Amino acid sequence: MSPSQEPVFSEYEAETSQTSKLIRKFKETPFVPIGMAGFAAVVGYGLYKLKHRGDMKMSLHLIHMRVAAQGFAVGALTCGVLYSMFREYMVKPKE
């Protein structure tokens, strides 16, 4: 391929960057990235609180952290499903 030629897949490469995928996913289903961010926030907060857990056992603290992170992710996905169902069946005009 000579340097003067444009790449054949330039449009494809531009559309498949990680940033554009994340932006497209956020527009299509906004609760998925929110769930991912919430999961990361809960895990980060749990790791921060790991120092100040007092006399609580490590395994119990990790179980609480896991349940909170899973709860946030499942809750965000549930809200996303409900939102998409609402948008699909209530807002969309019937044909």
Side-chain angles (χ1 to χ4, degrees), residues 34-62:
I34 291 170
M36 291 168 43
F39 180 85
V42 168
V43 170
Y45 180 73
L47 290 174
Y48 174 74
K49 290 303 247 180
L50 191 62
K51 280 181 145 180
H52 309 288
R53 69 180 189 272
D55 60 349
M56 184 187 296
K57 289 185 177 182
M58 171 77 85
S59 61
L60 188 61
H61 176 75
L62 292 175

mmCIF file with all atom_site columns, all heavy atoms in Angstrom, residues 34-62:
data_model
loop_
_atom_site.group_PDB
_atom_site.id
_atom_site.type_symbol
_atom_site.label_atom_id
_atom_site.label_alt_id
_atom_site.label_comp_id
_atom_site.label_asym_id
_atom_site.label_entity_id
_atom_site.label_seq_id
_atom_site.pdbx_PDB_ins_code
_atom_site.Cartn_x
_atom_site.Cartn_y
_atom_site.Cartn_z
_atom_site.occupancy
_atom_site.B_iso_or_equiv
_atom_site.pdbx_formal_charge
_atom_site.auth_seq_id
_atom_site.auth_comp_id
_atom_site.auth_asym_id
_atom_site.auth_atom_id
_atom_site.pdbx_PDB_model_num
ATOM 1   N N   . ILE A 1 34 ? -23.826 3.463   33.874 1.00 0.00 ? 34 ILE A N   1
ATOM 2   C CA  . ILE A 1 34 ? -24.087 3.921   35.239 1.00 0.00 ? 34 ILE A CA  1
ATOM 3   C C   . ILE A 1 34 ? -23.899 2.770   36.215 1.00 0.00 ? 34 ILE A C   1
ATOM 4   O O   . ILE A 1 34 ? -23.312 2.936   37.285 1.00 0.00 ? 34 ILE A O   1
ATOM 5   C CB  . ILE A 1 34 ? -25.498 4.536   35.343 1.00 0.00 ? 34 ILE A CB  1
ATOM 6   C CG1 . ILE A 1 34 ? -25.554 5.845   34.564 1.00 0.00 ? 34 ILE A CG1 1
ATOM 7   C CG2 . ILE A 1 34 ? -25.909 4.748   36.793 1.00 0.00 ? 34 ILE A CG2 1
ATOM 8   C CD1 . ILE A 1 34 ? -26.937 6.418   34.406 1.00 0.00 ? 34 ILE A CD1 1
ATOM 9   N N   . GLY A 1 35 ? -24.366 1.584   35.850 1.00 0.00 ? 35 GLY A N   1
ATOM 10  C CA  . GLY A 1 35 ? -24.171 0.406   36.693 1.00 0.00 ? 35 GLY A CA  1
ATOM 11  C C   . GLY A 1 35 ? -22.712 0.043   36.839 1.00 0.00 ? 35 GLY A C   1
ATOM 12  O O   . GLY A 1 35 ? -22.256 -0.320  37.925 1.00 0.00 ? 35 GLY A O   1
ATOM 13  N N   . MET A 1 36 ? -21.965 0.155   35.750 1.00 0.00 ? 36 MET A N   1
ATOM 14  C CA  . MET A 1 36 ? -20.532 -0.138  35.814 1.00 0.00 ? 36 MET A CA  1
ATOM 15  C C   . MET A 1 36 ? -19.810 0.870   36.701 1.00 0.00 ? 36 MET A C   1
ATOM 16  O O   . MET A 1 36 ? -18.954 0.500   37.515 1.00 0.00 ? 36 MET A O   1
ATOM 17  C CB  . MET A 1 36 ? -19.939 -0.134  34.405 1.00 0.00 ? 36 MET A CB  1
ATOM 18  C CG  . MET A 1 36 ? -20.399 -1.281  33.554 1.00 0.00 ? 36 MET A CG  1
ATOM 19  S SD  . MET A 1 36 ? -20.011 -1.170  31.789 1.00 0.00 ? 36 MET A SD  1
ATOM 20  C CE  . MET A 1 36 ? -18.351 -0.588  31.744 1.00 0.00 ? 36 MET A CE  1
ATOM 21  N N   . ALA A 1 37 ? -20.144 2.132   36.570 1.00 0.00 ? 37 ALA A N   1
ATOM 22  C CA  . ALA A 1 37 ? -19.514 3.161   37.388 1.00 0.00 ? 37 ALA A CA  1
ATOM 23  C C   . ALA A 1 37 ? -19.895 2.997   38.860 1.00 0.00 ? 37 ALA A C   1
ATOM 24  O O   . ALA A 1 37 ? -19.056 3.163   39.751 1.00 0.00 ? 37 ALA A O   1
ATOM 25  C CB  . ALA A 1 37 ? -19.912 4.545   36.898 1.00 0.00 ? 37 ALA A CB  1
ATOM 26  N N   . GLY A 1 38 ? -21.148 2.676   39.127 1.00 0.00 ? 38 GLY A N   1
ATOM 27  C CA  . GLY A 1 38 ? -21.576 2.453   40.505 1.00 0.00 ? 38 GLY A CA  1
ATOM 28  C C   . GLY A 1 38 ? -20.898 1.255   41.130 1.00 0.00 ? 38 GLY A C   1
ATOM 29  O O   . GLY A 1 38 ? -20.499 1.282   42.306 1.00 0.00 ? 38 GLY A O   1
ATOM 30  N N   . PHE A 1 39 ? -20.754 0.184   40.347 1.00 0.00 ? 39 PHE A N   1
ATOM 31  C CA  . PHE A 1 39 ? -20.044 -0.997  40.820 1.00 0.00 ? 39 PHE A CA  1
ATOM 32  C C   . PHE A 1 39 ? -18.613 -0.637  41.208 1.00 0.00 ? 39 PHE A C   1
ATOM 33  O O   . PHE A 1 39 ? -18.131 -1.006  42.280 1.00 0.00 ? 39 PHE A O   1
ATOM 34  C CB  . PHE A 1 39 ? -20.054 -2.071  39.734 1.00 0.00 ? 39 PHE A CB  1
ATOM 35  C CG  . PHE A 1 39 ? -19.340 -3.331  40.114 1.00 0.00 ? 39 PHE A CG  1
ATOM 36  C CD1 . PHE A 1 39 ? -20.004 -4.315  40.823 1.00 0.00 ? 39 PHE A CD1 1
ATOM 37  C CD2 . PHE A 1 39 ? -18.024 -3.536  39.755 1.00 0.00 ? 39 PHE A CD2 1
ATOM 38  C CE1 . PHE A 1 39 ? -19.356 -5.488  41.165 1.00 0.00 ? 39 PHE A CE1 1
ATOM 39  C CE2 . PHE A 1 39 ? -17.366 -4.696  40.098 1.00 0.00 ? 39 PHE A CE2 1
ATOM 40  C CZ  . PHE A 1 39 ? -18.033 -5.677  40.811 1.00 0.00 ? 39 PHE A CZ  1
ATOM 41  N N   . ALA A 1 40 ? -17.933 0.120   40.337 1.00 0.00 ? 40 ALA A N   1
ATOM 42  C CA  . ALA A 1 40 ? -16.557 0.532   40.615 1.00 0.00 ? 40 ALA A CA  1
ATOM 43  C C   . ALA A 1 40 ? -16.489 1.443   41.837 1.00 0.00 ? 40 ALA A C   1
ATOM 44  O O   . ALA A 1 40 ? -15.560 1.343   42.650 1.00 0.00 ? 40 ALA A O   1
ATOM 45  C CB  . ALA A 1 40 ? -15.966 1.224   39.399 1.00 0.00 ? 40 ALA A CB  1
ATOM 46  N N   . ALA A 1 41 ? -17.480 2.318   41.996 1.00 0.00 ? 41 ALA A N   1
ATOM 47  C CA  . ALA A 1 41 ? -17.499 3.222   43.146 1.00 0.00 ? 41 ALA A CA  1
ATOM 48  C C   . ALA A 1 41 ? -17.696 2.446   44.447 1.00 0.00 ? 41 ALA A C   1
ATOM 49  O O   . ALA A 1 41 ? -17.034 2.734   45.454 1.00 0.00 ? 41 ALA A O   1
ATOM 50  C CB  . ALA A 1 41 ? -18.595 4.265   42.971 1.00 0.00 ? 41 ALA A CB  1
ATOM 51  N N   . VAL A 1 42 ? -18.590 1.471   44.443 1.00 0.00 ? 42 VAL A N   1
ATOM 52  C CA  . VAL A 1 42 ? -18.828 0.673   45.653 1.00 0.00 ? 42 VAL A CA  1
ATOM 53  C C   . VAL A 1 42 ? -17.581 -0.122  46.013 1.00 0.00 ? 42 VAL A C   1
ATOM 54  O O   . VAL A 1 42 ? -17.188 -0.192  47.188 1.00 0.00 ? 42 VAL A O   1
ATOM 55  C CB  . VAL A 1 42 ? -20.050 -0.249  45.468 1.00 0.00 ? 42 VAL A CB  1
ATOM 56  C CG1 . VAL A 1 42 ? -20.146 -1.275  46.578 1.00 0.00 ? 42 VAL A CG1 1
ATOM 57  C CG2 . VAL A 1 42 ? -21.329 0.573   45.425 1.00 0.00 ? 42 VAL A CG2 1
ATOM 58  N N   . VAL A 1 43 ? -16.936 -0.708  45.027 1.00 0.00 ? 43 VAL A N   1
ATOM 59  C CA  . VAL A 1 43 ? -15.707 -1.461  45.288 1.00 0.00 ? 43 VAL A CA  1
ATOM 60  C C   . VAL A 1 43 ? -14.611 -0.535  45.805 1.00 0.00 ? 43 VAL A C   1
ATOM 61  O O   . VAL A 1 43 ? -13.906 -0.865  46.766 1.00 0.00 ? 43 VAL A O   1
ATOM 62  C CB  . VAL A 1 43 ? -15.258 -2.222  44.026 1.00 0.00 ? 43 VAL A CB  1
ATOM 63  C CG1 . VAL A 1 43 ? -13.867 -2.796  44.197 1.00 0.00 ? 43 VAL A CG1 1
ATOM 64  C CG2 . VAL A 1 43 ? -16.237 -3.333  43.710 1.00 0.00 ? 43 VAL A CG2 1
ATOM 65  N N   . GLY A 1 44 ? -14.466 0.635   45.195 1.00 0.00 ? 44 GLY A N   1
ATOM 66  C CA  . GLY A 1 44 ? -13.470 1.600   45.668 1.00 0.00 ? 44 GLY A CA  1
ATOM 67  C C   . GLY A 1 44 ? -13.740 2.052   47.096 1.00 0.00 ? 44 GLY A C   1
ATOM 68  O O   . GLY A 1 44 ? -12.813 2.139   47.921 1.00 0.00 ? 44 GLY A O   1
ATOM 69  N N   . TYR A 1 45 ? -14.998 2.341   47.402 1.00 0.00 ? 45 TYR A N   1
ATOM 70  C CA  . TYR A 1 45 ? -15.358 2.748   48.756 1.00 0.00 ? 45 TYR A CA  1
ATOM 71  C C   . TYR A 1 45 ? -15.104 1.613   49.752 1.00 0.00 ? 45 TYR A C   1
ATOM 72  O O   . TYR A 1 45 ? -14.617 1.843   50.860 1.00 0.00 ? 45 TYR A O   1
ATOM 73  C CB  . TYR A 1 45 ? -16.822 3.174   48.805 1.00 0.00 ? 45 TYR A CB  1
ATOM 74  C CG  . TYR A 1 45 ? -17.279 3.605   50.180 1.00 0.00 ? 45 TYR A CG  1
ATOM 75  C CD1 . TYR A 1 45 ? -16.864 4.815   50.719 1.00 0.00 ? 45 TYR A CD1 1
ATOM 76  C CD2 . TYR A 1 45 ? -18.130 2.799   50.935 1.00 0.00 ? 45 TYR A CD2 1
ATOM 77  C CE1 . TYR A 1 45 ? -17.279 5.213   51.973 1.00 0.00 ? 45 TYR A CE1 1
ATOM 78  C CE2 . TYR A 1 45 ? -18.538 3.181   52.194 1.00 0.00 ? 45 TYR A CE2 1
ATOM 79  C CZ  . TYR A 1 45 ? -18.116 4.395   52.706 1.00 0.00 ? 45 TYR A CZ  1
ATOM 80  O OH  . TYR A 1 45 ? -18.517 4.768   53.953 1.00 0.00 ? 45 TYR A OH  1
ATOM 81  N N   . GLY A 1 46 ? -15.430 0.386   49.351 1.00 0.00 ? 46 GLY A N   1
ATOM 82  C CA  . GLY A 1 46 ? -15.193 -0.758  50.226 1.00 0.00 ? 46 GLY A CA  1
ATOM 83  C C   . GLY A 1 46 ? -13.719 -0.976  50.499 1.00 0.00 ? 46 GLY A C   1
ATOM 84  O O   . GLY A 1 46 ? -13.321 -1.305  51.625 1.00 0.00 ? 46 GLY A O   1
ATOM 85  N N   . LEU A 1 47 ? -12.887 -0.794  49.482 1.00 0.00 ? 47 LEU A N   1
ATOM 86  C CA  . LEU A 1 47 ? -11.444 -0.923  49.687 1.00 0.00 ? 47 LEU A CA  1
ATOM 87  C C   . LEU A 1 47 ? -10.909 0.206   50.561 1.00 0.00 ? 47 LEU A C   1
ATOM 88  O O   . LEU A 1 47 ? -10.001 -0.011  51.368 1.00 0.00 ? 47 LEU A O   1
ATOM 89  C CB  . LEU A 1 47 ? -10.728 -0.945  48.337 1.00 0.00 ? 47 LEU A CB  1
ATOM 90  C CG  . LEU A 1 47 ? -10.957 -2.204  47.504 1.00 0.00 ? 47 LEU A CG  1
ATOM 91  C CD1 . LEU A 1 47 ? -10.314 -2.048  46.134 1.00 0.00 ? 47 LEU A CD1 1
ATOM 92  C CD2 . LEU A 1 47 ? -10.435 -3.430  48.221 1.00 0.00 ? 47 LEU A CD2 1
ATOM 93  N N   . TYR A 1 48 ? -11.475 1.389   50.414 1.00 0.00 ? 48 TYR A N   1
ATOM 94  C CA  . TYR A 1 48 ? -11.079 2.506   51.271 1.00 0.00 ? 48 TYR A CA  1
ATOM 95  C C   . TYR A 1 48 ? -11.450 2.228   52.726 1.00 0.00 ? 48 TYR A C   1
ATOM 96  O O   . TYR A 1 48 ? -10.676 2.477   53.640 1.00 0.00 ? 48 TYR A O   1
ATOM 97  C CB  . TYR A 1 48 ? -11.742 3.798   50.777 1.00 0.00 ? 48 TYR A CB  1
ATOM 98  C CG  . TYR A 1 48 ? -11.517 4.974   51.683 1.00 0.00 ? 48 TYR A CG  1
ATOM 99  C CD1 . TYR A 1 48 ? -10.290 5.613   51.729 1.00 0.00 ? 48 TYR A CD1 1
ATOM 100 C CD2 . TYR A 1 48 ? -12.536 5.447   52.503 1.00 0.00 ? 48 TYR A CD2 1
ATOM 101 C CE1 . TYR A 1 48 ? -10.071 6.691   52.558 1.00 0.00 ? 48 TYR A CE1 1
ATOM 102 C CE2 . TYR A 1 48 ? -12.343 6.518   53.336 1.00 0.00 ? 48 TYR A CE2 1
ATOM 103 C CZ  . TYR A 1 48 ? -11.103 7.137   53.375 1.00 0.00 ? 48 TYR A CZ  1
ATOM 104 O OH  . TYR A 1 48 ? -10.891 8.199   54.205 1.00 0.00 ? 48 TYR A OH  1
ATOM 105 N N   . LYS A 1 49 ? -12.642 1.690   52.951 1.00 0.00 ? 49 LYS A N   1
ATOM 106 C CA  . LYS A 1 49 ? -13.112 1.411   54.303 1.00 0.00 ? 49 LYS A CA  1
ATOM 107 C C   . LYS A 1 49 ? -12.465 0.158   54.907 1.00 0.00 ? 49 LYS A C   1
ATOM 108 O O   . LYS A 1 49 ? -12.700 -0.152  56.061 1.00 0.00 ? 49 LYS A O   1
ATOM 109 C CB  . LYS A 1 49 ? -14.631 1.241   54.325 1.00 0.00 ? 49 LYS A CB  1
ATOM 110 C CG  . LYS A 1 49 ? -15.375 2.524   54.085 1.00 0.00 ? 49 LYS A CG  1
ATOM 111 C CD  . LYS A 1 49 ? -14.993 3.561   55.087 1.00 0.00 ? 49 LYS A CD  1
ATOM 112 C CE  . LYS A 1 49 ? -16.127 3.891   55.996 1.00 0.00 ? 49 LYS A CE  1
ATOM 113 N NZ  . LYS A 1 49 ? -15.804 4.888   56.989 1.00 0.00 ? 49 LYS A NZ  1
ATOM 114 N N   . LEU A 1 50 ? -11.682 -0.556  54.119 1.00 0.00 ? 50 LEU A N   1
ATOM 115 C CA  . LEU A 1 50 ? -11.043 -1.772  54.597 1.00 0.00 ? 50 LEU A CA  1
ATOM 116 C C   . LEU A 1 50 ? -10.136 -1.491  55.789 1.00 0.00 ? 50 LEU A C   1
ATOM 117 O O   . LEU A 1 50 ? -10.054 -2.309  56.709 1.00 0.00 ? 50 LEU A O   1
ATOM 118 C CB  . LEU A 1 50 ? -10.242 -2.408  53.451 1.00 0.00 ? 50 LEU A CB  1
ATOM 119 C CG  . LEU A 1 50 ? -9.698  -3.806  53.661 1.00 0.00 ? 50 LEU A CG  1
ATOM 120 C CD1 . LEU A 1 50 ? -10.852 -4.781  53.881 1.00 0.00 ? 50 LEU A CD1 1
ATOM 121 C CD2 . LEU A 1 50 ? -8.882  -4.236  52.461 1.00 0.00 ? 50 LEU A CD2 1
ATOM 122 N N   . LYS A 1 51 ? -9.505  -0.337  55.808 1.00 0.00 ? 51 LYS A N   1
ATOM 123 C CA  . LYS A 1 51 ? -8.638  0.035   56.928 1.00 0.00 ? 51 LYS A CA  1
ATOM 124 C C   . LYS A 1 51 ? -9.427  0.270   58.216 1.00 0.00 ? 51 LYS A C   1
ATOM 125 O O   . LYS A 1 51 ? -8.949  -0.014  59.297 1.00 0.00 ? 51 LYS A O   1
ATOM 126 C CB  . LYS A 1 51 ? -7.876  1.320   56.597 1.00 0.00 ? 51 LYS A CB  1
ATOM 127 C CG  . LYS A 1 51 ? -6.682  1.150   55.737 1.00 0.00 ? 51 LYS A CG  1
ATOM 128 C CD  . LYS A 1 51 ? -6.040  2.507   55.546 1.00 0.00 ? 51 LYS A CD  1
ATOM 129 C CE  . LYS A 1 51 ? -4.551  2.372   55.489 1.00 0.00 ? 51 LYS A CE  1
ATOM 130 N NZ  . LYS A 1 51 ? -3.919  3.665   55.308 1.00 0.00 ? 51 LYS A NZ  1
ATOM 131 N N   . HIS A 1 52 ? -10.623 0.818   58.082 1.00 0.00 ? 52 HIS A N   1
ATOM 132 C CA  . HIS A 1 52 ? -11.393 1.252   59.248 1.00 0.00 ? 52 HIS A CA  1
ATOM 133 C C   . HIS A 1 52 ? -12.567 0.329   59.521 1.00 0.00 ? 52 HIS A C   1
ATOM 134 O O   . HIS A 1 52 ? -13.646 0.790   59.895 1.00 0.00 ? 52 HIS A O   1
ATOM 135 C CB  . HIS A 1 52 ? -11.897 2.679   59.033 1.00 0.00 ? 52 HIS A CB  1
ATOM 136 C CG  . HIS A 1 52 ? -10.822 3.619   58.612 1.00 0.00 ? 52 HIS A CG  1
ATOM 137 N ND1 . HIS A 1 52 ? -9.847  4.045   59.459 1.00 0.00 ? 52 HIS A ND1 1
ATOM 138 C CD2 . HIS A 1 52 ? -10.556 4.192   57.407 1.00 0.00 ? 52 HIS A CD2 1
ATOM 139 C CE1 . HIS A 1 52 ? -9.016  4.853   58.816 1.00 0.00 ? 52 HIS A CE1 1
ATOM 140 N NE2 . HIS A 1 52 ? -9.430  4.951   57.555 1.00 0.00 ? 52 HIS A NE2 1
ATOM 141 N N   . ARG A 1 53 ? -12.373 -0.966  59.355 1.00 0.00 ? 53 ARG A N   1
ATOM 142 C CA  . ARG A 1 53 ? -13.480 -1.892  59.565 1.00 0.00 ? 53 ARG A CA  1
ATOM 143 C C   . ARG A 1 53 ? -13.631 -2.287  61.022 1.00 0.00 ? 53 ARG A C   1
ATOM 144 O O   . ARG A 1 53 ? -14.565 -2.988  61.382 1.00 0.00 ? 53 ARG A O   1
ATOM 145 C CB  . ARG A 1 53 ? -13.328 -3.115  58.668 1.00 0.00 ? 53 ARG A CB  1
ATOM 146 C CG  . ARG A 1 53 ? -12.203 -4.025  59.027 1.00 0.00 ? 53 ARG A CG  1
ATOM 147 C CD  . ARG A 1 53 ? -12.136 -5.207  58.077 1.00 0.00 ? 53 ARG A CD  1
ATOM 148 N NE  . ARG A 1 53 ? -11.191 -6.182  58.531 1.00 0.00 ? 53 ARG A NE  1
ATOM 149 C CZ  . ARG A 1 53 ? -9.898  -6.186  58.239 1.00 0.00 ? 53 ARG A CZ  1
ATOM 150 N NH1 . ARG A 1 53 ? -9.413  -5.237  57.469 1.00 0.00 ? 53 ARG A NH1 1
ATOM 151 N NH2 . ARG A 1 53 ? -9.107  -7.120  58.709 1.00 0.00 ? 53 ARG A NH2 1
ATOM 152 N N   . GLY A 1 54 ? -12.717 -1.854  61.892 1.00 0.00 ? 54 GLY A N   1
ATOM 153 C CA  . GLY A 1 54 ? -12.812 -2.165  63.318 1.00 0.00 ? 54 GLY A CA  1
ATOM 154 C C   . GLY A 1 54 ? -12.512 -3.622  63.586 1.00 0.00 ? 54 GLY A C   1
ATOM 155 O O   . GLY A 1 54 ? -11.545 -4.174  63.062 1.00 0.00 ? 54 GLY A O   1
ATOM 156 N N   . ASP A 1 55 ? -13.366 -4.255  64.389 1.00 0.00 ? 55 ASP A N   1
ATOM 157 C CA  . ASP A 1 55 ? -13.130 -5.656  64.724 1.00 0.00 ? 55 ASP A CA  1
ATOM 158 C C   . ASP A 1 55 ? -13.892 -6.618  63.808 1.00 0.00 ? 55 ASP A C   1
ATOM 159 O O   . ASP A 1 55 ? -13.987 -7.799  64.092 1.00 0.00 ? 55 ASP A O   1
ATOM 160 C CB  . ASP A 1 55 ? -13.499 -5.915  66.184 1.00 0.00 ? 55 ASP A CB  1
ATOM 161 C CG  . ASP A 1 55 ? -14.953 -5.604  66.487 1.00 0.00 ? 55 ASP A CG  1
ATOM 162 O OD1 . ASP A 1 55 ? -15.614 -4.991  65.632 1.00 0.00 ? 55 ASP A OD1 1
ATOM 163 O OD2 . ASP A 1 55 ? -15.418 -5.966  67.585 1.00 0.00 ? 55 ASP A OD2 1
ATOM 164 N N   . MET A 1 56 ? -14.434 -6.108  62.712 1.00 0.00 ? 56 MET A N   1
ATOM 165 C CA  . MET A 1 56 ? -15.148 -6.964  61.757 1.00 0.00 ? 56 MET A CA  1
ATOM 166 C C   . MET A 1 56 ? -14.140 -7.844  61.025 1.00 0.00 ? 56 MET A C   1
ATOM 167 O O   . MET A 1 56 ? -13.059 -7.391  60.656 1.00 0.00 ? 56 MET A O   1
ATOM 168 C CB  . MET A 1 56 ? -15.912 -6.101  60.745 1.00 0.00 ? 56 MET A CB  1
ATOM 169 C CG  . MET A 1 56 ? -16.771 -6.911  59.781 1.00 0.00 ? 56 MET A CG  1
ATOM 170 S SD  . MET A 1 56 ? -17.522 -5.921  58.476 1.00 0.00 ? 56 MET A SD  1
ATOM 171 C CE  . MET A 1 56 ? -18.603 -4.859  59.391 1.00 0.00 ? 56 MET A CE  1
ATOM 172 N N   . LYS A 1 57 ? -14.496 -9.091  60.827 1.00 0.00 ? 57 LYS A N   1
ATOM 173 C CA  . LYS A 1 57 ? -13.606 -10.004 60.109 1.00 0.00 ? 57 LYS A CA  1
ATOM 174 C C   . LYS A 1 57 ? -13.484 -9.572  58.652 1.00 0.00 ? 57 LYS A C   1
ATOM 175 O O   . LYS A 1 57 ? -14.401 -8.980  58.086 1.00 0.00 ? 57 LYS A O   1
ATOM 176 C CB  . LYS A 1 57 ? -14.144 -11.430 60.165 1.00 0.00 ? 57 LYS A CB  1
ATOM 177 C CG  . LYS A 1 57 ? -14.032 -12.060 61.519 1.00 0.00 ? 57 LYS A CG  1
ATOM 178 C CD  . LYS A 1 57 ? -14.477 -13.509 61.433 1.00 0.00 ? 57 LYS A CD  1
ATOM 179 C CE  . LYS A 1 57 ? -14.304 -14.184 62.761 1.00 0.00 ? 57 LYS A CE  1
ATOM 180 N NZ  . LYS A 1 57 ? -14.686 -15.598 62.696 1.00 0.00 ? 57 LYS A NZ  1
ATOM 181 N N   . MET A 1 58 ? -12.350 -9.901  58.077 1.00 0.00 ? 58 MET A N   1
ATOM 182 C CA  . MET A 1 58 ? -12.084 -9.543  56.679 1.00 0.00 ? 58 MET A CA  1
ATOM 183 C C   . MET A 1 58 ? -13.099 -10.201 55.749 1.00 0.00 ? 58 MET A C   1
ATOM 184 O O   . MET A 1 58 ? -13.612 -9.552  54.845 1.00 0.00 ? 58 MET A O   1
ATOM 185 C CB  . MET A 1 58 ? -10.674 -9.990  56.287 1.00 0.00 ? 58 MET A CB  1
ATOM 186 C CG  . MET A 1 58 ? -10.375 -9.863  54.816 1.00 0.00 ? 58 MET A CG  1
ATOM 187 S SD  . MET A 1 58 ? -10.031 -8.213  54.312 1.00 0.00 ? 58 MET A SD  1
ATOM 188 C CE  . MET A 1 58 ? -8.310  -8.140  54.677 1.00 0.00 ? 58 MET A CE  1
ATOM 189 N N   . SER A 1 59 ? -13.401 -11.466 55.975 1.00 0.00 ? 59 SER A N   1
ATOM 190 C CA  . SER A 1 59 ? -14.323 -12.169 55.077 1.00 0.00 ? 59 SER A CA  1
ATOM 191 C C   . SER A 1 59 ? -15.715 -11.554 55.135 1.00 0.00 ? 59 SER A C   1
ATOM 192 O O   . SER A 1 59 ? -16.378 -11.422 54.109 1.00 0.00 ? 59 SER A O   1
ATOM 193 C CB  . SER A 1 59 ? -14.395 -13.654 55.434 1.00 0.00 ? 59 SER A CB  1
ATOM 194 O OG  . SER A 1 59 ? -14.881 -13.821 56.750 1.00 0.00 ? 59 SER A OG  1
ATOM 195 N N   . LEU A 1 60 ? -16.158 -11.147 56.302 1.00 0.00 ? 60 LEU A N   1
ATOM 196 C CA  . LEU A 1 60 ? -17.472 -10.523 56.426 1.00 0.00 ? 60 LEU A CA  1
ATOM 197 C C   . LEU A 1 60 ? -17.504 -9.173  55.715 1.00 0.00 ? 60 LEU A C   1
ATOM 198 O O   . LEU A 1 60 ? -18.488 -8.837  55.043 1.00 0.00 ? 60 LEU A O   1
ATOM 199 C CB  . LEU A 1 60 ? -17.838 -10.369 57.900 1.00 0.00 ? 60 LEU A CB  1
ATOM 200 C CG  . LEU A 1 60 ? -19.247 -9.905  58.202 1.00 0.00 ? 60 LEU A CG  1
ATOM 201 C CD1 . LEU A 1 60 ? -20.247 -10.909 57.653 1.00 0.00 ? 60 LEU A CD1 1
ATOM 202 C CD2 . LEU A 1 60 ? -19.436 -9.745  59.691 1.00 0.00 ? 60 LEU A CD2 1
ATOM 203 N N   . HIS A 1 61 ? -16.429 -8.414  55.852 1.00 0.00 ? 61 HIS A N   1
ATOM 204 C CA  . HIS A 1 61 ? -16.356 -7.124  55.154 1.00 0.00 ? 61 HIS A CA  1
ATOM 205 C C   . HIS A 1 61 ? -16.395 -7.326  53.640 1.00 0.00 ? 61 HIS A C   1
ATOM 206 O O   . HIS A 1 61 ? -17.092 -6.586  52.922 1.00 0.00 ? 61 HIS A O   1
ATOM 207 C CB  . HIS A 1 61 ? -15.070 -6.393  55.558 1.00 0.00 ? 61 HIS A CB  1
ATOM 208 C CG  . HIS A 1 61 ? -14.869 -5.109  54.831 1.00 0.00 ? 61 HIS A CG  1
ATOM 209 N ND1 . HIS A 1 61 ? -15.586 -3.977  55.116 1.00 0.00 ? 61 HIS A ND1 1
ATOM 210 C CD2 . HIS A 1 61 ? -14.046 -4.782  53.795 1.00 0.00 ? 61 HIS A CD2 1
ATOM 211 C CE1 . HIS A 1 61 ? -15.215 -3.004  54.307 1.00 0.00 ? 61 HIS A CE1 1
ATOM 212 N NE2 . HIS A 1 61 ? -14.283 -3.470  53.489 1.00 0.00 ? 61 HIS A NE2 1
ATOM 213 N N   . LEU A 1 62 ? -15.651 -8.308  53.138 1.00 0.00 ? 62 LEU A N   1
ATOM 214 C CA  . LEU A 1 62 ? -15.633 -8.564  51.694 1.00 0.00 ? 62 LEU A CA  1
ATOM 215 C C   . LEU A 1 62 ? -16.989 -9.047  51.196 1.00 0.00 ? 62 LEU A C   1
ATOM 216 O O   . LEU A 1 62 ? -17.407 -8.700  50.086 1.00 0.00 ? 62 LEU A O   1
ATOM 217 C CB  . LEU A 1 62 ? -14.537 -9.573  51.353 1.00 0.00 ? 62 LEU A CB  1
ATOM 218 C CG  . LEU A 1 62 ? -13.112 -9.074  51.544 1.00 0.00 ? 62 LEU A CG  1
ATOM 219 C CD1 . LEU A 1 62 ? -12.120 -10.195 51.286 1.00 0.00 ? 62 LEU A CD1 1
ATOM 220 C CD2 . LEU A 1 62 ? -12.826 -7.881  50.661 1.00 0.00 ? 62 LEU A CD2 1
#
